[in-house]
Amino acid sequence: MTPSARIAAAIAVLADIEARRRPAADALKDWGLSHRFAGSGDRAAIAGLVYDALRRKASAAHLLGATTSRAVVLGMLRLDRGLDLAALEKLFDGGRFAPDPLTADERAAVSAATDGGAIGDAPAHVAGDYPEWLDLPLARVFGDDRVTEGRALAHRAPLDLRINTLAASKETGRDANAPRDKDALRDKVLAELSHLKPQPTRWSPVGLRVAIGADAKSPPVHAEPAFIKGQIEVQDEGSQVAALLAAARPGEQVIDLCAGGGGKTLALAASMENKGQLYATDLDKRRLAPIHARLERAGVRDVQVRTPRPDIDVLDDLSGRADLVVVDAPCTGTGTWRRNPDAKWRMRPGSLSERLAQQKTVLDRAAGLVRPGGRIVYVTCSLLADENTDQIQAFLGRHPGFVPVPPEKTVSVLGDKAPAFLDSVLTFPEGLLMTPRRTGTDGFFVAVLRREG
Ligand SMILES: C[S@@+](CC[C@H](N)C(=O)[O-])C[C@H]1O[C@@H](n2cnc3c(N)ncnc32)[C@H](O)[C@@H]1O
């Protein structure tokens, strides 16, 4: 397909998303099924256009003074990809598979935008590309910075990988993860993945980052020998750091209460160097199911999966015994808008209240599992105070035996990176917040709560 035809296809897919209020992934899949001639490169490019347009939906529509899919794609190409009038006229040339030529109004609008994507006097939620109803909640956390925070959330996310240090002992046969074995593994993985040009991540000592171009597909990491051998996992650096901040130590009794597919469980198991006991559970057994294969592949030996059962508390025997309970809570996911731009516009106030109730339930359950002197680590991938600091304040009100550990202490596990990390995050008495703008990661809130002995 020509670049123009790909743009026309992206406009059609966006129109379908809007008209039928359906998820972008479904609309893209249907488009692929009804256009079987399109190759994988075409599909990736069209998906890239659709997701980038969703990322910049409000500012692009504002630039063009219209909310049609055509306006949003055109605005995105100008604001996000920096195409000037001449380049856009070449693409919108009215050819057989191309979008219609630009109108006089469209030409004027795209010419008015400055390079770098500024759009003048737009209100904060438009310039920051987020739903208007979230302006007040975001202003509460970020103040005037909410526009730049929103802009950073409207960029494409890189692909982050976590090196599984447990694979080092699998390779060497030695039980302990000696630092030299870990270094050797990292060098080996870097060499094996050199075609992806990975770079070490800024904060996580076990992270690698792969940049993804505008029209490029995410590389098929699952087919890499390093992945098959359990040496790498796909995990955003923010999620890696959240797991590191939990500071699970070898020999501890740790519960991962919202384990889902096991992303954090695997990282916690690596911190524990396969020593101690990690219990993984989730409310939803379907979400938990993939964890078994992932644990196997990663060479994790110290995890017991406790699959939920109706009318039975599968953690009953652990009451008041855990050194650490990790609550990777269900949340609105506002910190992951870079990866899910579709979710940004689909989010409704009702889903926030639902998540708040779930967070309260799961935090209260965690409180009953921690031993005196033990800790709860509460994590969300949300930016909203209601789900983060407010939720923790309310918890502390209900459970006066817990105290928050100050972020200055929590970050010490990052070693020599701790001071710069602390300067980058937003800190609160209850915890800390990473954001794409501040830490280059997805948005993650982390609170550590110690049960007094
Ligand atoms: C953010 S996801 C977990 C992601 C996972 N930890 C990972 O790193 O891949 C939140 C999880 O909480 C689970 N959940 C919701 N309410 C729960 C509850 N009351 N108890 C336990 N898990 C719950 C959901 O099913 C969902 O899998």
Side-chain angles (χ1 to χ4, degrees):
M1 290 171 74
T2 62
S4 297
R6 289 171 170 180
I7 289 171
I11 293 173
V13 172
L14 275 168
D16 184 33
I17 293 168
E18 286 294 324
R20 293 165 65 191
R21 302 204 173 286
R22 57 198 316 231
D26 293 357
L28 282 161
K29 193 169 163 210
D30 273 7
W31 187 92
L33 288 173
S34 53
H35 297 81
R36 288 190 181 273
F37 61 85
S40 67
D42 293 323
R43 284 164 207 234
I46 294 163
L49 287 163
V50 166
Y51 285 116
D52 280 352
L54 287 170
R55 289 186 180 95
R56 299 300 303 264
K57 184 166 121 170
S59 55
H62 182 85
L63 178 68
L64 268 291
T67 56
T68 60
S69 336
R70 175 182 164 95
V72 171
V73 171
L74 193 50
M76 177 278 289
L77 291 171
R78 178 71 191 99
L79 294 173
D80 187 71
R81 303 220 179 161
L83 301 190
D84 61 12
L85 178 61
L88 289 168
E89 282 186 315
K90 260 194 200 159
L91 290 165
F92 287 66
D93 67 355
R96 191 154 163 235
F97 298 109
D100 288 343
L102 300 188
T103 64
D105 284 351
E106 287 172 339
R107 279 202 299 274
V110 293
S111 305
T114 55
D115 279 333
I119 51 162
D121 57 350
H125 68 276
V126 171
D129 272 296
Y130 53 79
E132 187 172 2
W133 73 274
L134 285 171
D135 192 45
L136 270 181
L138 290 172
R140 214 187 126 197
V141 180
F142 299 115
D144 289 345
D145 285 345
R146 65 196 187 280
V147 172
T148 35
E149 293 283 352
R151 292 280 297 272
L153 279 154
H155 284 135
R156 217 169 300 118
L159 168 69
D160 288 348
L161 305 172
R162 181 179 60 79
I163 297 178
N164 171 29
T165 47
L166 291 177
S169 43
K170 211 163 110 183
E171 291 262 310
T172 59
R174 281 192 286 272
D175 198 37
N177 282 294
R180 66 169 194 272
D181 292 342
K182 290 186 190 173
D183 291 348
L185 177 69
R186 196 196 47 224
D187 293 347
K188 195 172 160 186
V189 170
L190 270 168
E192 262 194 46
L193 299 179
S194 59
H195 54 289
L196 301 178
K197 302 189 179 61
Q199 295 295 321
T201 46
R202 189 166 166 206
W203 313 113
S204 166
V206 287
L208 296 178
R209 175 158 289 186
V210 176
I212 312 266
D215 278 354
K217 267 200 298 196
S218 212
V221 172
H222 296 84
E224 293 290 341
F227 183 87
I228 294 162
K229 285 188 267 175
Q231 294 170 341
I232 51 167
E233 285 292 330
V234 174
Q235 187 173 33
D236 176 77
E237 190 190 9
S239 177
Q240 297 182 33
V241 171
L244 287 168
L245 297 181
R249 287 183 283 270
E252 285 194 323
Q253 299 276 311
V254 179
I255 301 174
D256 186 357
L257 203 46
C258 302
K264 302 268 184 329
T265 317
L266 295 177
L268 294 167
S271 295
M272 293 170 69
E273 299 176 5
N274 261 339
K275 294 181 197 110
Q277 190 65 62
L278 179 48
Y279 301 90
T281 191
D282 195 281
L283 183 70
D284 184 342
K285 65 178 171 195
R286 284 163 308 178
R287 281 178 179 261
L288 194 57
I291 202 173
H292 297 277
R294 292 182 78 186
L295 292 170
E296 171 84 27
R297 197 173 48 75
V300 174
R301 293 193 306 268
D302 65 343
V303 174
Q304 263 189 38
V305 180
R306 297 272 179 103
T307 302
R309 290 163 53 191
D311 306 325
I312 291 178
D313 179 357
V314 293
L315 300 179
D316 202 25
D317 56 322
L318 301 176
S319 282
R321 287 183 46 198
D323 297 299
L324 164 65
V325 179
V326 176
V327 175
D328 189 18
C331 71
T332 54
T334 42
T336 63
W337 280 344
R338 297 185 307 173
R339 298 180 195 281
N340 301 309
D342 199 17
K344 164 159 89 172
W345 305 109
R346 296 168 70 82
M347 182 180 158
R348 298 284 173 268
S351 58
L352 173 59
S353 358
E354 207 177 304
R355 296 291 172 257
L356 292 175
Q358 291 170 331
Q359 289 154 8
K360 177 173 182 278
T361 303
V362 78
L363 270 169
D364 287 345
R365 188 176 183 209
L369 293 164
V370 183
R371 69 163 171 81
R375 60 214 191 275
I376 293 175
V377 174
Y378 175 77
V379 179
T380 72
C381 54
S382 171
L383 307 174
L384 308 180
D386 312 57
E387 300 182 89
N388 297 340
T389 45
D390 288 1
Q391 191 64 267
I392 295 304
Q393 273 173 23
F395 172 85
L396 295 172
R398 294 193 301 280
H399 300 275
F402 283 83
V403 289
V405 176
E408 298 74 42
K409 276 199 173 166
T410 306
V411 300
S412 61
V413 286
L414 297 179
D416 58 1
K417 294 179 176 171
F421 183 73
L422 197 60
D423 276 351
S424 299
V425 293
L426 261 185
T427 56
F428 308 91
E430 299 83 6
L432 59 85
L433 182 64
M434 299 174 247
T435 71
R437 170 177 172 249
R438 292 173 161 271
T439 46
T441 63
D442 281 350
F444 273 96
F445 174 76
V446 182
V448 180
L449 311 166
R450 194 170 47 78
R451 182 176 167 193
E452 289 180 311

